[in-house]
């Protein structure tokens, strides 16, 4: 055990209170025995700064940093005179900019690969889903009839490049936005031009002494966030589908029990699917398999973690070892021979743990090195150079394993891979694929509404608990749940991705799930795949009967255990698209301020969605269900069933929902 990673002064961690994940609990007990620390320990040791948590401080110039008091929000201003609303909205804007930049840069990398594949300069990847290529091209107005695939692909590249580089006009995917929603955006001046322009403008506006009107800053937050959701993220999803295949339901295992002591275990952790796809090819290479056998292994066992893991879980059924708060504890198993990371949500704390357990940790993306960690650059023009090398290093580590291996025996099999195309097909059948059955079941009340439950896990709240309890409460109340990212993994571990989990749903939703043969919780993939939820919302509006804009739909969203700036960008693009979106953990505003009231109320009055906040999963579910019922009422589809305002105790006691609304 490396001496430097020992933490003698660490307080004992109340393990059952920090995570409900059995595997993570077991590994935290082992971590205590081994004397190593994780983000759970660091969170317990580090009190979050209350002024920062309220977003009441500014360090945008050297006259400060200025700290405003959260108790007396309007009693104080910064040295330049900036009010709490200016400071908090500027801080929020920079979170949106950073989150949107992460997603759009990811999307741009995908587009780079697509361009090089189409030009024949990258040979290791091909256009795998031509049907999807045609659909995406048609959706942005490209002529496809009688044309060669390559010609269409060139046009599509050029069209989608505008998502990033365009300086005037509207991004290409506005063609998918319901007309009434788009009309509202135009009226408010929030239609994105190009992501680079919007992110640049937000950074300019939030410089000292520029935009000092929180309402004006918030408009640019919406515009930038929309360039992520309907721009960069949507490009990332669509191009990944074109290159690697559109997901359809696949049975796959999730949790640390997917590790296998007898095999060489390789984990890919990050966000971009390019390296992961090449790793799939590497672990299936007969030469490398032979090398593994020679080293005494029964095979090469590839697993994912976090979002790229959720993406290949959905697309190919590659097993998934756990979500964000398990990326360190999985190393404590001692069973991980190599972990290759790319971008986003990679904790620096992985480095000392990998050293301690002898796991080979590699960074692979030029944007994301970690001090002291070996870097094997991944270059899409010859991807196997990187991924073969990682596999060989993993085999070496397998051969020389020294760490004691303990693998938690928890593994949950479930169905993943519900793209919006598949939802269409699943509900409508091959010859009449459509959203009509979904809308009909919402109108007749079997399905009360749809909720997107997404986002990270966070050591400031009990891992997985809020995700799982919230989703159980929603399905019990006949709300169909769609999921992405680390949240999807929380529910998969809890067994909610199995079709028989429909027994936990209310009678109406259960009936629909049993008829169609689907679980009440549908996993759609990674964080950028939240764009699939936007498209599903647009399809619901287009199909008819549920209003004219996304803001009319009986839908809601939640990021119950969020931690990253990307979650803020996602939240803001859902709100700007018309969706009520609830955050848990904490929210970076002070409740009495004008800026807070704008986000949590004013935006809805403008015809968009709004934000909500609740830490408790039952309270969060109540907020979402009440909102769904409010929309049902406005649509005139509450039926015989009156809107029931229940308190928490009622909700907990509620076991059966009548099947006719
Ligand atoms: Fe303080 Fe204003 Fe400078 Fe911010 S911009 S640090 S509020 S003086
Ligand atoms: S990986 S952004 S912790 S969902 Fe997308 Fe998970 Fe959140 Fe990272």
């Amino acid at each position: 055990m490396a001496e430097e990673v020992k933490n003698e002064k660490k307080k004992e961690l109340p393990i059952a209170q920090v995570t409900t994940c059995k595997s993570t609990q077991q590994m935290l007990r082992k971590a205590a025995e081994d004397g190593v620390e994780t983000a759970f320990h660091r969170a317990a040791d580090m009190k979050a700064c209350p002024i920062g948590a309220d977003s009441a401080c500014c360090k945008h110039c050297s006259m400060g940093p200025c700290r405003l008091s959260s108790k007396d929000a309007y009693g104080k201003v910064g040295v330049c005179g900036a009010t709490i609303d200016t400071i908090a909205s500027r801080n929020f804007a920079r979170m949106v900019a950073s989150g949107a930049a992460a997603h759009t840069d990811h999307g741009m990398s995908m587009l780079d690969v697509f361009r090089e594949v189409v030009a024949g300069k990258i040979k290791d990847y091909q256009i795998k889903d031509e049907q999807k290529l045609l659909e995406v091209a048609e959706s942005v107005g490209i002529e496809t009839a009688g044309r060669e695939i390559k010609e269409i692909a060139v046009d599509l590249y050029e069209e989608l490049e505008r998502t990033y580089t365009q300086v005037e006009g509207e991004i290409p995917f506005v063609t998918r936005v319901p007309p009434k929603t788009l009309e509202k955006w135009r009226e408010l001046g929030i239609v994105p031009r190009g992501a680079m322009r919007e992110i640049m403008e937000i950074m300019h506006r939030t410089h000292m002494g520029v935009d000092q009107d929180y309402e004006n800053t918030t408009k640019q937050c919406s515009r930038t966030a929309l360039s992520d959701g309907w721009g960069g993220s949507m490009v990332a999803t669509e191009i990944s589908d074109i290159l690697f295949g559109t997901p359809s339901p696949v049975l796959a295992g999730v949790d640390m029990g997917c590790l296998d002591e007898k095999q060489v275990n390789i984990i890919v952790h990050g966000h971009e699917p390019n390296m992961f796809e090449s790793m799939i090819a590497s672990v299936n290479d007969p030469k490398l398999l032979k090398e593994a056998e020679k080293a005494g292994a029964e095979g090469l066992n590839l697993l994912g973690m976090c979002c790229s893991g959720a993406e290949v879980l959905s697309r190919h059924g590659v097993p998934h070892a756990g979500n964000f708060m398990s990326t360190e504890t999985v190393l404590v198993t001692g069973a991980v021979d190599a972990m290759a990371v790319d971008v986003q949500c990679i904790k620096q704390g992985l480095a000392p743990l990998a050293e301690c357990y002898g796991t080979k940790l590699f960074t692979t993306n030029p944007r994301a090195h970690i001090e002291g960690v070996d870097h094997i650059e991944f270059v899409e023009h010859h991807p196997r150079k990187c991924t073969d090398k990682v596999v060989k290093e993993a085999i070496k580590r397998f051969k020389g394993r020294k760490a004691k291996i303990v693998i938690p025996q928890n593994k949950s099999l479930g169905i993943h891979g519900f793209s919006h195309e598949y939802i269409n097909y699943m509900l409508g059948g091959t010859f009449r694929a459509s959203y009509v059955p979904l809308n009909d079941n919402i109108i007749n009340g079997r399905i009360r509404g749809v909720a997107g439950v997404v986002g990270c896990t966070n050591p400031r709240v009990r891992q997985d608990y809020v995700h799982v309890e919230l989703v159980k409460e929603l399905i019990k109340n006949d709300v169909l749940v769609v999921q992405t990212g680390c949240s999807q993994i929380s529910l998969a571990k809890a067994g909610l991705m199995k079709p028989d989990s429909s027994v936990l749903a209310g009678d109406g939703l259960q009936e629909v799930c049993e008829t169609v043969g689907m679980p009440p919780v549908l996993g759609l993939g990674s964080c950028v795949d939240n764009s699939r939820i936007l498209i599903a919302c647009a399809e619901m509006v287009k199909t008819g009967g549920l209003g004219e804009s996304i803001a009319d739909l009986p839908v809601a969203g939640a990021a119950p255990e969020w931690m990253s700036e990307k979650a803020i960008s996602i939240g803001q693009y859902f709100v700007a698209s018309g969706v009520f979106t609830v955050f848990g953990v904490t929210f970076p505003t002070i409740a009495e301020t004008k800026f807070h009231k704008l986000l949590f109320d004013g935006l809805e009055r403008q015809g968009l969605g709004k934000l909500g906040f609740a830490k408790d999963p039952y309270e969060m579910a109540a907020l979402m269900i009440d909102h769904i019922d409010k929309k049902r009422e406005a649509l005139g589809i509450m039926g015989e069933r009156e809107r029931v305002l229940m308190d928490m105790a009622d909700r907990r006691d509620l076991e059966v929902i009548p099947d006719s609304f």
Side-chain angles (χ1 to χ4, degrees):
M1 202 64 55
E3 283 303 312
E4 59 273 23
V5 296
K6 288 196 174 184
N7 185 351
E8 309 296 354
K9 286 178 289 175
K10 242 177 7 233
K11 282 180 246 158
E12 202 176 318
L13 199 66
I15 289 172
Q17 286 171 37
V18 300
T19 177
T20 59
C21 171
K22 294 283 175 232
S23 302
T24 303
Q25 286 180 355
Q26 189 181 340
M27 287 305 101
L28 284 174
R29 285 192 291 274
K30 181 168 184 288
E33 284 164 22
D34 296 348
V36 297
E37 70 166 26
T38 66
F40 289 107
H41 303 91
R42 294 187 290 271
D45 287 347
M46 187 172 308
K47 192 173 178 296
C49 165
I51 296 175
D54 282 339
S55 212
C57 53
C58 177
K59 56 181 178 68
H60 290 202
C61 84
S62 70
M63 293 189 285
C66 300
R67 294 185 305 161
L68 271 55
S69 162
S70 55
K71 290 198 188 84
D72 181 15
Y74 291 101
K76 214 173 163 185
V77 292
V79 174
C80 66
T83 63
I84 184 68
D85 296 302
T86 296
I87 288 174
S89 62
R90 281 196 308 218
N91 290 342
F92 185 80
R94 288 198 170 185
M95 293 179 88
V96 169
S98 166
H103 287 146
T104 51
D105 197 28
H106 167 173
M108 195 153 196
S109 298
M110 298 307 305
L111 208 52
D112 286 340
V113 175
F114 181 61
R115 181 192 60 236
E116 298 295 90
V117 168
V118 175
K121 293 183 187 162
I122 290 181
K123 310 256 186 242
D124 287 69
Y125 309 127
Q126 282 97 35
I127 291 174
K128 195 165 178 186
D129 192 339
E130 290 188 359
Q131 183 58 33
K132 177 90 188 211
L133 173 83
L134 297 178
E135 282 165 16
V136 177
E138 281 163 15
S139 79
V140 290
I142 293 170
E143 183 61 51
T144 58
R147 299 182 71 202
E148 293 288 325
I149 286 290
K150 189 172 171 182
E151 259 185 320
I152 297 166
V154 169
D155 283 359
L156 182 61
Y157 171 77
E158 281 168 9
E159 183 65 7
L160 293 186
E161 197 191 53
R162 294 201 292 114
T163 305
Y164 304 93
T165 55
Q166 182 170 269
V167 291
E168 261 319 315
E170 298 177 344
I171 54 170
F173 281 138
V174 292
T175 51
R176 295 171 160 194
V177 179
K180 279 274 176 208
T181 303
L182 186 56
E183 199 181 301
K184 179 54 71 184
W185 293 357
R186 286 180 179 148
E187 182 194 316
L188 295 171
I190 58 170
V191 186
R193 293 159 291 183
M196 288 175 175
R197 175 126 210 201
E198 304 312 347
I199 293 165
M200 178 171 67
E201 188 169 318
I202 233 176
M203 295 310 285
H204 177 194
R205 285 192 193 206
T206 54
H207 183 276
M208 186 268 155
V210 186
D211 199 359
Q212 290 158 110
D213 176 342
Y214 69 97
E215 286 193 79
N216 203 40
T217 305
T218 304
K219 276 192 183 175
Q220 187 57 17
C221 291
S222 298
R223 203 177 196 185
T224 306
L226 289 171
S227 79
D228 170 358
W230 297 87
S233 282
M234 202 169 275
V235 168
T237 295
E238 302 298 58
I239 294 295
S240 301
D241 284 356
I242 290 169
L243 290 176
F244 308 129
T246 304
S248 60
V250 58
L251 184 72
V254 170
D255 212 335
M256 291 189 206
C258 296
L259 291 163
D260 182 352
E261 187 167 358
K262 294 186 180 140
Q263 298 196 56
V264 179
N265 294 303
I266 301 166
I267 289 182
V268 176
H269 160 27
H271 279 77
E272 295 183 356
N274 309 352
M275 191 256 288
F276 214 136
E277 292 284 336
S278 178
M279 192 67 84
I280 293 172
S282 292
V283 299
N284 285 300
D285 183 321
K287 273 197 289 199
L288 291 171
L289 281 164
K290 200 155 203 163
E291 233 176 89
E293 270 169 39
K294 266 206 326 224
E298 284 186 4
L300 294 166
N301 188 30
L302 178 63
L303 306 100
M305 287 197 99
C306 272
C307 264
S308 50
E311 189 164 331
V312 296
L313 168 75
S314 294
R315 189 170 280 124
H316 305 302
V318 172
H320 197 288
N323 56 24
F324 177 68
M325 279 315 295
S326 301
T327 55
E328 290 175 310
T329 43
V330 80
L331 299 184
V332 178
T333 62
V336 183
D337 296 299
M339 178 184 268
V341 300
D342 56 18
V343 288
Q344 302 169 22
C345 307
I346 319 291
K347 298 187 197 86
Q348 193 163 0
L350 292 173
L353 280 170
E355 194 187 330
C356 177
Y357 291 99
T359 295
K360 305 259 188 169
L361 177 65
F362 300 106
T363 54
T364 60
N365 191 292
R367 295 169 185 81
H369 289 229
I370 298 175
E371 192 186 342
V373 170
D374 289 336
H375 184 79
I376 307 177
E377 187 116 334
F378 177 76
V379 181
E380 283 90 351
H381 294 80
H382 39 80
R384 293 286 299 275
K385 269 196 184 167
C386 167
T387 52
D388 284 5
K389 177 102 196 290
V390 172
V391 173
K392 285 179 185 163
E393 290 293 324
I395 295 170
K396 259 194 238 164
R397 191 274 183 178
F398 176 89
K399 215 168 157 185
R401 275 181 186 177
K402 289 188 187 77
K404 181 181 166 205
I405 292 177
V406 179
I407 298 177
Q409 291 306 303
N410 308 305
K411 176 174 167 178
S412 182
L413 281 175
I415 312 278
H416 299 264
F418 290 91
S419 56
H420 88 90
E421 287 88 347
Y422 192 83
I423 294 173
N424 205 15
Y425 158 75
M426 171 178 76
L427 293 164
T430 319
F431 299 109
R432 52 184 184 91
S434 88
Y435 274 69
V436 171
L438 176 64
N439 282 24
D440 282 353
N441 278 304
I442 292 173
I443 293 165
N444 69 28
R446 281 194 192 90
I447 296 177
R448 191 174 198 151
V450 181
V453 180
V454 305
C456 326
T457 50
N458 181 325
R460 301 283 176 202
V461 295
R462 203 171 168 210
Q463 183 190 5
D464 297 336
Y465 169 76
V466 194
H467 288 298
V468 173
E469 293 307 308
L470 169 65
V471 170
K472 281 186 181 165
E473 190 69 6
L474 288 170
I475 63 171
K476 193 166 77 177
N477 283 283
D478 289 314
V479 176
L480 176 67
V481 174
V482 290
Q483 292 219 278
T484 61
C486 291
S487 182
Q488 176 176 335
I489 303 307
S490 303
L491 271 296
K493 285 187 287 179
L496 272 281
M497 299 288 174
K498 296 175 186 163
D500 62 8
S501 67
S502 63
V503 294
L504 299 173
D507 286 354
L509 179 59
Q510 190 176 343
E511 192 185 328
V512 176
C513 289
E514 281 167 5
T515 309
V516 177
M518 68 177 193
V521 183
L522 308 178
L524 303 184
S526 66
C527 298
V528 292
D529 294 330
N530 282 318
S531 60
R532 299 190 198 277
I533 303 178
L534 293 176
I535 298 172
C537 288
E539 286 296 320
M540 285 163 73
V541 174
K542 200 161 117 194
T543 300
L546 293 174
E548 294 187 337
S549 76
I550 295 176
D552 295 332
L553 294 172
V555 301
E561 301 182 21
W562 75 283
M563 64 87 200
S564 94
E565 289 167 321
K566 290 178 289 168
I568 292 289
S569 179
I570 292 167
Q572 189 62 20
Y573 74 62
F574 271 108
V575 166
S577 299
V579 179
F580 174 54
T581 306
V582 190
F583 277 71
V585 190
T586 179
F587 199 81
T589 54
I590 298 171
E592 305 81 49
T593 57
K594 288 183 275 182
F595 174 56
H596 176 94
K597 287 177 186 156
L598 176 64
L599 295 181
F600 283 71
D601 181 35
L603 292 181
E604 189 180 48
R605 289 174 198 274
Q606 291 173 15
L608 305 176
K610 65 175 177 181
L611 285 171
F613 176 73
K615 284 184 180 180
D616 176 86
Y618 306 105
E619 200 185 319
M620 197 176 275
L623 288 174
M624 295 167 80
I625 292 165
D626 287 349
H627 178 82
I628 284 170
D629 284 354
K630 185 176 86 178
K631 294 295 172 185
R632 293 186 64 88
E633 231 166 34
L635 289 166
I637 56 170
M638 279 300 275
E640 297 145 31
R641 187 184 162 84
E642 285 306 309
R643 182 172 165 215
V644 185
L645 292 170
M646 289 171 278
D647 65 17
M648 286 307 111
D650 289 336
R651 288 195 189 281
R652 286 191 187 105
D653 292 344
L654 192 67
E655 284 191 355
V656 181
I657 299 282
D659 60 0
S660 66
F661 277 29

